[in-house]
Protein backbone atom coordinates (compact mmCIF):
# COMPACT_ATOMS: atom_id res chain seq x y z
CA UNK A 1 0.00 0.00 0.00
CA UNK A 2 1.25 3.46 -0.86
CA UNK A 3 -0.02 6.75 0.51
CA UNK A 4 0.94 9.68 -1.73
CA UNK A 5 0.68 13.25 -0.46
CA UNK A 6 1.77 16.41 -2.31
CA UNK A 7 3.04 19.04 0.14
CA UNK A 8 3.52 22.73 -0.53
CA UNK A 9 4.49 24.79 2.52
CA UNK A 10 2.86 22.26 4.83
CA UNK A 11 5.47 22.37 7.62
CA UNK A 12 2.79 22.83 10.27
CA UNK A 13 0.72 19.86 9.07
CA UNK A 14 3.34 17.27 8.18
CA UNK A 15 4.15 15.65 11.51
CA UNK A 16 0.50 15.25 12.43
CA UNK A 17 -0.25 14.02 8.90
CA UNK A 18 2.52 11.44 9.13
CA UNK A 19 1.29 10.25 12.53
CA UNK A 20 -2.30 9.78 11.40
CA UNK A 21 -1.46 8.38 7.95
CA UNK A 22 1.00 5.86 9.38
CA UNK A 23 -1.51 4.77 12.03
CA UNK A 24 -4.24 4.34 9.41
CA UNK A 25 -1.92 2.39 7.10
CA UNK A 26 -0.72 0.15 9.93
CA UNK A 27 -4.30 -0.61 10.96
CA UNK A 28 -5.15 -1.77 7.42
CA UNK A 29 -1.91 -3.28 6.09
CA UNK A 30 0.40 -4.09 9.00
CA UNK A 31 3.95 -3.09 8.06
CA UNK A 32 3.72 -3.36 4.27
CA UNK A 33 3.11 0.25 3.36
CA UNK A 34 4.98 3.38 2.33
CA UNK A 35 4.15 7.07 2.66
CA UNK A 36 5.41 9.10 -0.30
CA UNK A 37 5.71 12.78 0.64
CA UNK A 38 6.33 15.06 -2.34
CA UNK A 39 7.73 18.48 -1.51
CA UNK A 40 6.48 20.70 -4.31
CA UNK A 41 9.23 23.32 -4.05
CA UNK A 42 8.17 24.59 -0.62
CA UNK A 43 9.71 27.72 0.82
CA UNK A 44 9.23 26.80 4.47
CA UNK A 45 10.64 23.96 6.59
CA UNK A 46 8.64 21.29 4.73
CA UNK A 47 11.69 19.56 3.24
CA UNK A 48 13.70 19.40 6.44
CA UNK A 49 10.68 17.89 8.21
CA UNK A 50 10.28 15.33 5.42
CA UNK A 51 13.98 14.46 5.76
CA UNK A 52 13.59 14.05 9.50
CA UNK A 53 10.51 11.85 9.02
CA UNK A 54 12.35 9.71 6.45
CA UNK A 55 15.25 9.35 8.87
CA UNK A 56 13.00 8.24 11.71
CA UNK A 57 10.51 6.10 9.80
CA UNK A 58 11.64 3.69 7.05
CA UNK A 59 8.11 3.75 5.63
CA UNK A 60 8.57 7.33 4.49
CA UNK A 61 9.82 8.18 1.01
CA UNK A 62 10.63 11.88 0.66
CA UNK A 63 10.72 13.38 -2.83
CA UNK A 64 11.72 16.96 -3.51
CA UNK A 65 10.85 18.57 -6.83
CA UNK A 66 13.21 21.09 -8.37
CA UNK A 67 10.60 23.85 -8.05
CA UNK A 68 6.91 24.40 -7.46
CA UNK A 69 5.08 22.48 -10.18
CA UNK A 70 1.58 22.68 -8.70
CA UNK A 71 -0.61 20.18 -6.91
CA UNK A 72 -1.49 17.99 -9.90
CA UNK A 73 2.09 17.50 -11.04
CA UNK A 74 3.39 16.99 -7.51
CA UNK A 75 0.76 14.28 -7.10
CA UNK A 76 1.82 12.78 -10.45
CA UNK A 77 5.45 12.68 -9.32
CA UNK A 78 4.40 10.80 -6.18
CA UNK A 79 2.24 8.39 -8.17
CA UNK A 80 5.05 7.53 -10.56
CA UNK A 81 7.30 6.53 -7.63
CA UNK A 82 4.60 4.75 -5.59
CA UNK A 83 5.24 1.01 -5.46
CA UNK A 84 2.10 -0.27 -3.75
CA UNK A 85 -0.54 -2.58 -5.21
CA UNK A 86 -2.99 0.01 -3.98
CA UNK A 87 -2.31 3.71 -3.82
CA UNK A 88 -4.13 6.34 -1.80
CA UNK A 89 -3.76 9.91 -3.02
CA UNK A 90 -4.47 12.43 -0.27
CA UNK A 91 -3.77 16.07 0.63
CA UNK A 92 -1.22 16.67 3.38
CA UNK A 93 -3.36 19.24 5.20
CA UNK A 94 -5.64 16.62 6.84
CA UNK A 95 -8.78 18.03 5.20
CA UNK A 96 -9.30 14.48 4.01
CA UNK A 97 -9.08 12.08 6.98
CA UNK A 98 -6.46 9.31 6.39
CA UNK A 99 -8.62 7.05 8.61
CA UNK A 100 -10.95 6.60 5.63
CA UNK A 101 -8.34 4.21 4.28
CA UNK A 102 -10.05 1.33 6.14
CA UNK A 103 -13.51 1.75 4.55
CA UNK A 104 -11.85 2.42 1.18
CA UNK A 105 -9.85 -0.80 1.46
CA UNK A 106 -13.05 -2.70 2.33
CA UNK A 107 -14.75 -1.38 -0.84
CA UNK A 108 -11.73 -2.37 -2.86
CA UNK A 109 -11.71 -5.86 -1.33
CA UNK A 110 -15.29 -6.07 -2.57
CA UNK A 111 -14.08 -5.40 -6.12
CA UNK A 112 -13.85 -1.63 -6.68
CA UNK A 113 -10.98 -0.37 -8.86
CA UNK A 114 -11.21 3.17 -7.53
CA UNK A 115 -12.83 4.42 -4.33
CA UNK A 116 -13.02 8.19 -4.36
CA UNK A 117 -13.99 10.46 -1.50
CA UNK A 118 -17.09 12.51 -2.21
CA UNK A 119 -17.56 15.60 -0.08
CA UNK A 120 -20.85 15.58 1.75
CA UNK A 121 -20.28 18.44 4.20
CA UNK A 122 -17.35 20.85 3.85
CA UNK A 123 -16.22 22.35 7.11
CA UNK A 124 -14.60 25.75 7.51
CA UNK A 125 -14.44 26.71 3.86
CA UNK A 126 -15.60 30.13 2.72
CA UNK A 127 -18.97 30.47 1.00
CA UNK A 128 -17.03 31.65 -2.04
CA UNK A 129 -14.92 28.48 -2.19
CA UNK A 130 -18.01 26.30 -1.78
CA UNK A 131 -20.10 28.27 -4.30
CA UNK A 132 -17.33 28.44 -6.92
CA UNK A 133 -16.52 24.74 -6.43
CA UNK A 134 -20.16 23.78 -6.80
CA UNK A 135 -20.63 25.90 -9.95
CA UNK A 136 -17.42 24.47 -11.40
CA UNK A 137 -18.40 20.82 -10.84
CA UNK A 138 -21.82 21.43 -12.38
CA UNK A 139 -20.42 23.19 -15.44
CA UNK A 140 -17.80 20.50 -15.88
CA UNK A 141 -20.24 17.60 -15.63
CA UNK A 142 -22.37 19.25 -18.33
CA UNK A 143 -19.42 19.80 -20.65
CA UNK A 144 -17.12 16.84 -20.16
CA UNK A 145 -17.31 13.83 -22.45
CA UNK A 146 -16.68 11.40 -19.58
CA UNK A 147 -18.85 11.58 -16.44
CA UNK A 148 -16.67 13.26 -13.78
CA UNK A 149 -18.36 12.79 -10.40
CA UNK A 150 -19.41 15.98 -8.62
CA UNK A 151 -17.87 17.24 -5.40
CA UNK A 152 -14.87 14.96 -5.48
CA UNK A 153 -11.27 15.98 -5.11
CA UNK A 154 -8.25 13.85 -5.80
CA UNK A 155 -8.64 12.01 -2.50
CA UNK A 156 -8.99 8.38 -3.58
CA UNK A 157 -7.72 4.84 -3.35
CA UNK A 158 -6.70 3.29 -6.67
CA UNK A 159 -5.74 -0.17 -7.76
CA UNK A 160 -2.34 -0.74 -9.40
CA UNK A 161 -3.77 -1.12 -12.90
CA UNK A 162 -5.53 2.23 -12.57
CA UNK A 163 -2.36 3.93 -11.25
CA UNK A 164 -0.32 2.46 -14.12
CA UNK A 165 -2.85 3.72 -16.66
CA UNK A 166 -2.92 7.14 -15.02
CA UNK A 167 0.84 7.48 -14.79
CA UNK A 168 1.30 6.47 -18.43
CA UNK A 169 -0.91 9.31 -19.70
CA UNK A 170 1.50 11.87 -21.15
CA UNK A 171 -0.52 15.07 -20.88
CA UNK A 172 0.98 18.02 -19.05
CA UNK A 173 -2.11 20.00 -18.04
CA UNK A 174 -3.22 17.24 -15.74
CA UNK A 175 -6.64 17.05 -14.19
CA UNK A 176 -6.18 13.85 -12.25
CA UNK A 177 -9.77 13.18 -11.20
CA UNK A 178 -10.88 13.54 -14.83
CA UNK A 179 -8.13 11.22 -16.08
CA UNK A 180 -9.17 8.62 -13.51
CA UNK A 181 -12.80 8.89 -14.65
CA UNK A 182 -11.62 8.43 -18.21
CA UNK A 183 -9.85 5.20 -17.23
CA UNK A 184 -13.12 3.67 -16.05
CA UNK A 185 -13.41 0.29 -14.33
CA UNK A 186 -15.47 -0.01 -11.20
CA UNK A 187 -15.41 3.36 -9.47
CA UNK A 188 -17.27 3.95 -6.24
CA UNK A 189 -17.92 7.01 -4.10
CA UNK A 190 -17.41 7.15 -0.36
CA UNK A 191 -19.22 10.13 1.13
CA UNK A 192 -17.30 11.91 3.86
CA UNK A 193 -17.16 15.22 5.69
CA UNK A 194 -14.37 17.47 4.53
CA UNK A 195 -12.57 18.84 7.59
CA UNK A 196 -10.94 22.19 8.18
CA UNK A 197 -7.22 22.40 7.47
CA UNK A 198 -5.05 21.12 10.33
CA UNK A 199 -2.97 24.31 10.10
CA UNK A 200 -1.93 26.98 7.63
CA UNK A 201 -3.91 28.46 4.77
CA UNK A 202 -5.10 27.17 1.41
CA UNK A 203 -2.38 26.94 -1.23
CA UNK A 204 -5.01 27.38 -3.94
CA UNK A 205 -5.57 31.11 -4.40
CA UNK A 206 -8.23 32.28 -6.89
CA UNK A 207 -5.63 32.54 -9.66
CA UNK A 208 -4.70 28.84 -9.33
CA UNK A 209 -8.36 27.85 -9.02
CA UNK A 210 -9.19 29.56 -12.34
CA UNK A 211 -6.18 27.99 -14.05
CA UNK A 212 -7.23 24.60 -12.69
CA UNK A 213 -10.83 25.06 -13.90
CA UNK A 214 -9.66 26.08 -17.39
CA UNK A 215 -7.33 23.05 -17.54
CA UNK A 216 -10.17 20.79 -16.49
CA UNK A 217 -12.63 22.12 -19.04
CA UNK A 218 -10.24 22.39 -21.97
CA UNK A 219 -8.77 18.99 -21.11
CA UNK A 220 -12.09 17.20 -21.11
CA UNK A 221 -14.34 19.06 -23.49
CA UNK A 222 -14.16 20.75 -26.86
CA UNK A 223 -17.61 22.22 -26.16
CA UNK A 224 -16.24 25.77 -25.82
CA UNK A 225 -14.84 25.58 -29.36
CA UNK A 226 -18.39 25.04 -30.62
CA UNK A 227 -19.51 28.29 -29.04
CA UNK A 228 -18.28 30.06 -32.18
CA UNK A 229 -20.55 27.93 -34.36
CA UNK A 230 -23.61 28.58 -32.20
CA UNK A 231 -22.94 32.29 -31.97
CA UNK A 232 -22.28 32.39 -35.73
CA UNK A 233 -25.61 30.70 -36.48
CA UNK A 234 -27.41 33.07 -34.15
CA UNK A 235 -25.71 36.09 -35.75
CA UNK A 236 -26.55 34.83 -39.24
CA UNK A 237 -30.23 34.62 -38.30
CA UNK A 238 -30.09 38.13 -36.88
CA UNK A 239 -28.33 39.41 -39.99
CA UNK A 240 -31.07 38.01 -42.25
CA UNK A 241 -33.75 39.82 -40.28
CA UNK A 242 -31.70 43.02 -40.38
CA UNK A 243 -31.19 42.66 -44.11
CA UNK A 244 -34.94 42.34 -44.69
CA UNK A 245 -35.55 45.40 -42.52
CA UNK A 246 -32.86 47.43 -44.30
CA UNK A 247 -34.15 46.55 -47.77
CA UNK A 248 -37.66 47.43 -46.73
CA UNK A 249 -36.54 50.81 -45.37
CA UNK A 250 -34.59 51.42 -48.56
CA UNK A 251 -37.61 50.58 -50.73
CA UNK A 252 -39.68 52.97 -48.67
CA UNK A 253 -37.04 55.64 -49.33
CA UNK A 254 -36.62 56.11 -45.61
CA UNK A 255 -32.85 55.60 -45.10
CA UNK A 256 -32.10 57.02 -41.65
CA UNK A 257 -28.51 57.61 -40.50
CA UNK A 258 -28.38 54.86 -37.84
CA UNK A 259 -25.26 55.60 -35.76
CA UNK A 260 -26.47 53.77 -32.62
CA UNK A 261 -27.40 50.55 -34.40
CA UNK A 262 -24.12 50.45 -36.33
CA UNK A 263 -22.06 51.08 -33.19
CA UNK A 264 -23.98 48.42 -31.28
CA UNK A 265 -23.41 45.85 -33.99
CA UNK A 266 -19.67 46.65 -34.20
CA UNK A 267 -19.11 46.50 -30.45
CA UNK A 268 -21.20 43.36 -30.02
CA UNK A 269 -19.57 41.37 -32.79
CA UNK A 270 -16.12 42.71 -31.95
CA UNK A 271 -16.53 41.38 -28.41
CA UNK A 272 -17.91 38.05 -29.57
CA UNK A 273 -15.03 37.56 -31.98
CA UNK A 274 -12.43 38.36 -29.34
CA UNK A 275 -14.00 35.95 -26.85
CA UNK A 276 -14.12 33.18 -29.41
CA UNK A 277 -10.52 33.88 -30.45
CA UNK A 278 -9.51 33.71 -26.78
CA UNK A 279 -11.20 30.33 -26.37
CA UNK A 280 -9.45 29.00 -29.45
CA UNK A 281 -6.22 30.43 -28.04
CA UNK A 282 -6.66 28.28 -24.91
CA UNK A 283 -6.71 25.15 -27.03
CA UNK A 284 -3.87 26.27 -29.28
CA UNK A 285 -1.89 27.03 -26.12
CA UNK A 286 -2.55 23.52 -24.85
CA UNK A 287 -1.32 22.05 -28.13
CA UNK A 288 1.79 24.20 -27.85
CA UNK A 289 2.48 23.04 -24.28
CA UNK A 290 2.00 19.40 -25.18
CA UNK A 291 4.05 19.66 -28.38
CA UNK A 292 7.13 20.72 -26.42
CA UNK A 293 6.94 17.38 -24.62
CA UNK A 294 9.06 18.44 -21.68
CA UNK A 295 9.14 16.13 -18.69
CA UNK A 296 6.14 16.63 -16.39
CA UNK A 297 8.34 17.50 -13.42
CA UNK A 298 11.98 17.39 -12.38
CA UNK A 299 13.04 15.64 -9.20
CA UNK A 300 15.75 17.26 -7.12
CA UNK A 301 16.31 14.44 -4.63
CA UNK A 302 14.75 11.41 -3.02
CA UNK A 303 15.37 10.22 0.53
CA UNK A 304 14.22 7.10 2.30
CA UNK A 305 15.29 5.07 5.30
CA UNK A 306 17.87 7.68 6.22
CA UNK A 307 19.57 7.52 2.81
CA UNK A 308 19.57 9.83 -0.14
CA UNK A 309 18.95 7.82 -3.32
CA UNK A 310 20.63 8.96 -6.51
CA UNK A 311 18.21 8.71 -9.40
CA UNK A 312 19.78 8.65 -12.87
CA UNK A 313 19.98 12.10 -14.47
CA UNK A 314 17.58 11.22 -17.27
CA UNK A 315 15.01 9.83 -14.83
CA UNK A 316 12.33 12.44 -15.40
CA UNK A 317 12.53 12.05 -19.18
CA UNK A 318 11.91 8.30 -19.03
CA UNK A 319 8.51 6.90 -19.88
CA UNK A 320 6.55 7.09 -16.62
CA UNK A 321 6.06 3.33 -16.41
CA UNK A 322 9.83 2.86 -16.71
CA UNK A 323 10.34 5.39 -13.92
CA UNK A 324 8.91 3.06 -11.32
CA UNK A 325 11.17 0.20 -12.40
CA UNK A 326 14.25 2.43 -12.30
CA UNK A 327 13.20 3.68 -8.88
CA UNK A 328 12.71 0.11 -7.60
CA UNK A 329 16.19 -0.81 -8.84
CA UNK A 330 17.82 2.35 -7.39
CA UNK A 331 16.14 1.76 -4.09
CA UNK A 332 17.12 -1.90 -3.90
CA UNK A 333 20.75 -1.13 -4.89
CA UNK A 334 21.25 1.53 -2.22
CA UNK A 335 19.60 -0.60 0.44
CA UNK A 336 21.98 -3.47 -0.33
CA UNK A 337 25.00 -1.19 -0.09
CA UNK A 338 23.76 0.19 3.22
N1 LIG B 1 -0.20 21.70 -3.06
C1 LIG B 1 0.95 21.42 -3.79
N2 LIG B 1 1.42 22.37 -4.68
C2 LIG B 1 0.78 23.57 -4.85
C3 LIG B 1 -0.41 23.83 -4.13
C4 LIG B 1 -0.87 22.86 -3.23
O1 LIG B 1 1.53 20.35 -3.66
O2 LIG B 1 1.27 24.38 -5.65
C5 LIG B 1 -0.70 20.67 -2.10
C6 LIG B 1 -0.98 21.18 -0.70
O3 LIG B 1 0.18 21.10 0.10
C7 LIG B 1 -2.06 20.23 -0.22
C8 LIG B 1 -2.82 19.93 -1.50
O4 LIG B 1 -1.95 20.23 -2.58
O5 LIG B 1 -1.52 19.03 0.29
C9 LIG B 1 -4.10 20.71 -1.63
O6 LIG B 1 -3.84 22.10 -1.48
P1 LIG B 1 -4.71 23.03 -0.53
O7 LIG B 1 -5.10 22.29 0.71
O8 LIG B 1 -3.99 24.30 -0.31
O9 LIG B 1 -5.99 23.27 -1.43
P2 LIG B 1 -7.53 23.38 -0.95
O10 LIG B 1 -7.78 22.15 -0.10
O11 LIG B 1 -7.63 24.63 -0.19
O12 LIG B 1 -8.30 23.36 -2.23
MG1 LIG C 1 -6.71 21.66 1.55
Amino acid sequence: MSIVAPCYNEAECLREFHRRAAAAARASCGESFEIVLVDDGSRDATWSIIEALAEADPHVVGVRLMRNHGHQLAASAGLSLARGDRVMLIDADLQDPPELLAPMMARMDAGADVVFGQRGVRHAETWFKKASASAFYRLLSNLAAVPIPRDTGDFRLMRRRVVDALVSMPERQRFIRGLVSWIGGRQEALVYERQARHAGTSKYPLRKMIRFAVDAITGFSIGPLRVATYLGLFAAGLALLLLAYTLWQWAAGDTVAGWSSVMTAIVLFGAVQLIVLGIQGEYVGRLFQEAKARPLFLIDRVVTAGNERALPAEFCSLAPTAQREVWEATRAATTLRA
Side-chain angles (χ1 to χ4, degrees):
M1 229 286 303
S2 300
I3 295 180
V4 172
C7 316
Y8 179 55
N9 294 342
E10 299 289 5
E12 295 159 290
C13 298
L14 266 174
R15 287 187 186 279
E16 181 62 10
F17 173 77
H18 169 256
R19 192 187 63 74
R20 283 177 56 185
R26 204 160 267 129
S28 291
C29 321
E31 290 302 315
S32 56
F33 70 93
E34 63 175 0
I35 301 179
V36 183
L37 300 172
V38 184
D39 175 8
D40 187 18
S42 300
R43 272 179 261 258
D44 65 356
T46 297
W47 179 246
S48 54
I49 294 176
I50 292 178
E51 275 184 321
L53 289 170
E55 181 89 44
D57 178 0
H59 295 289
V60 173
V61 178
V63 183
R64 185 162 81 168
L65 303 187
M66 294 284 273
R67 63 173 176 87
N68 180 255
H69 279 279
H71 176 212
Q72 300 286 302
L73 291 180
S76 305
L79 290 174
S80 55
L81 293 186
R83 299 177 310 141
D85 288 333
R86 296 178 180 186
V87 180
M88 181 165 79
L89 183 58
I90 185 171
D91 289 352
D93 60 0
L94 292 169
Q95 282 196 280
D96 312 317
E99 292 74 22
L100 289 182
L101 178 63
M104 285 181 165
M105 289 292 260
R107 294 280 192 93
M108 197 162 278
D109 291 338
D113 288 301
V114 176
V115 187
F116 55 85
Q118 192 157 36
R119 297 152 183 183
V121 189
R122 304 175 72 143
H123 290 291
E125 284 182 304
T126 60
W127 72 266
F128 177 74
K129 179 106 185 178
K130 287 185 208 174
S132 57
S134 144
F136 164 67
Y137 288 120
R138 269 142 201 82
L139 175 68
L140 184 64
S141 63
N142 286 327
L143 282 176
V146 286
I148 298 173
R150 291 176 177 188
D151 303 318
T152 59
D154 293 319
F155 177 38
R156 54 193 60 221
L157 182 66
M158 294 173 277
R159 223 180 254 290
R160 180 82 255 161
R161 63 173 182 160
V162 175
V163 177
D164 282 344
L166 177 60
V167 157
S168 63
M169 292 186 187
E171 60 202 90
R172 258 131 279 268
Q173 285 96 342
R174 291 176 99 72
F175 179 61
I176 293 178
R177 61 203 78 159
L179 296 176
V180 174
S181 293
W182 186 92
I183 292 169
R186 199 168 132 191
Q187 309 214 358
E188 294 182 4
L190 184 78
V191 177
Y192 73 109
E193 288 184 21
R194 190 147 213 247
Q195 307 299 317
R197 260 181 166 272
H198 175 67
T201 51
S202 174
K203 311 302 185 277
Y204 258 99
L206 184 62
R207 180 177 51 82
K208 279 194 195 171
M209 275 164 60
I210 293 174
R211 193 63 259 161
F212 183 63
V214 171
D215 276 350
I217 290 170
T218 53
F220 284 87
S221 168
I222 55 162
L225 285 175
R226 298 196 179 110
V227 166
T229 317
Y230 298 137
L231 286 176
L233 287 174
F234 174 74
L238 209 67
L240 273 179
L241 290 178
L242 266 172
L243 181 67
Y245 172 74
T246 319
L247 287 178
W248 182 64
Q249 290 287 76
W250 174 75
D254 187 18
T255 42
V256 205
W259 182 79
S260 315
S261 55
V262 171
M263 278 311 274
T264 314
I266 291 176
V267 170
L268 178 73
F269 289 105
V272 167
Q273 284 171 6
L274 281 180
I275 291 171
V276 169
L277 253 172
I279 293 173
Q280 295 184 354
E282 272 301 325
Y283 286 88
V284 174
R286 277 184 78 89
L287 282 174
F288 171 65
Q289 299 284 4
E290 300 295 344
K292 283 186 291 189
R294 290 188 186 143
L296 296 187
F297 47 79
L298 287 181
I299 293 179
D300 181 24
R301 52 186 55 186
V302 182
V303 291
T304 188
N307 272 314
E308 185 170 334
R309 310 302 163 106
L311 289 170
E314 74 284 3
F315 182 81
C316 294
S317 310
L318 295 173
T321 30
Q323 284 175 346
R324 192 164 50 91
E325 279 166 32
V326 171
W327 165 231
E328 297 249 22
T330 313
R331 195 185 150 105
T334 14
T335 314
L336 282 182
R337 226 177 299 144

